Amino acid sequence: MDFDRSIKIAPSILSADFADFGREIRAVEDQGADWVHVDVMDGHFVPNITFGPPAVAAFRKHVRTVMDVHLMIAPVDPYIDAFARAGADIITAHVEAGPHIHRTLQAIRGAGARAGVALNPGTPAESVEHLLDLADLVCVMTVNPGFGGQKFIDMTDKVRRLRAMIGDRPVHIEIDGGVDPTTAPALARAGADVLVAGSAVFRGGSVSNSAPYGENIAAIRAAAEGALG
Ligand code: DX5
Ligand code: ZN
């Protein structure tokens, strides 16, 4: 997994058919997805429950690109090894999930995965300032985590600040929540390179009719790349 700042589209399988994850993952990858985003929720840190390490291990068999695992769970440290063993390429933990995010990022790298740190909309960019040498990715939430299909919250200014803080470090800026062709351009211009999208990728398509997935991915990519000029 080499580092670059090209635009990457990461469909969130939270918007996929939950009875058919394998085919959904293969469909979005065939249709141009760069990464596959997996949202893990615990009904405690966020008010929704999705899947645990055995499910993520099952997804792994179908992912040929990059499996990007977003942990919306607290506590997070006791589960890092299990998600690393499940085959996550990137494990992202929330800065709000506990008092020791520095230790959490060390543990993620120690388990052999790339380390991501996510910020809720109410959390300032400065909260990760002292973590940037320990992180491979900063995830800026543009919705309050817990559900797909929510209204976008503008965090362009936060992205711009993070981009300046990151400087030359090989750290991705990922956006998660409400990304579509209308919201992507300003985020790309501000410095985001990984765009997670659930509803805006899966809408209009299905495993037996996956061309809309490709059109949706291409539309988000074109909007973001167009903004970079
Ligand atoms: C929200 C999740 C997101 C979600 C995005 O808690 O972290 O990844 O699936 O869904 P959309 O793109 O529909 O806002
Ligand atoms: Zn997510």
Side-chain angles (χ1 to χ4, degrees), residues 85-161:
R85 277 199 307 274
D89 294 298
I90 303 171
I91 297 177
T92 296
H94 270 260
V95 72
E96 306 86 2
H100 297 297
I101 185 67
H102 188 283
R103 175 184 293 151
T104 301
L105 295 177
Q106 287 177 319
I108 294 170
R109 283 188 170 175
R114 305 268 175 135
V117 57
L119 292 80
N120 282 336
T123 302
E126 288 69 22
S127 65
V128 299
E129 194 169 356
H130 301 287
L131 302 170
L132 294 174
D133 291 319
L134 281 173
D136 302 289
L137 176 149
V138 177
C139 174
V140 177
M141 295 301 304
T142 40
V143 296
N144 285 296
F147 303 94
Q150 301 184 85
K151 192 174 158 18
F152 178 78
I153 303 167
D154 187 15
M155 292 283 138
T156 310
D157 184 55
K158 191 190 286 188
V159 175
R160 213 176 285 118
R161 282 173 195 238

Side-chain angles (χ1 to χ4, degrees), residues 7-26:
I7 296 294
K8 289 164 281 293
I9 310 296
S12 163
I13 59 167
L14 190 60
S15 295
D17 176 353
F18 269 43
D20 215 349
F21 280 122
R23 286 168 75 208
E24 289 278 44
I25 288 167
R26 281 178 274 128

Side-chain angles (χ1 to χ4, degrees), residues 12 37 39 70 72 141 176 196:
S12 163
H37 186 82
D39 286 306
H70 178 191
M72 287 160 274
M141 295 301 304
D176 191 2
V196 174

Side-chain angles (χ1 to χ4, degrees), residues 67-81:
M67 190 162 72
D68 175 34
V69 177
H70 178 191
L71 299 182
M72 287 160 274
I73 66 174
V76 61
D77 291 7
Y79 303 100
I80 289 169
D81 282 342

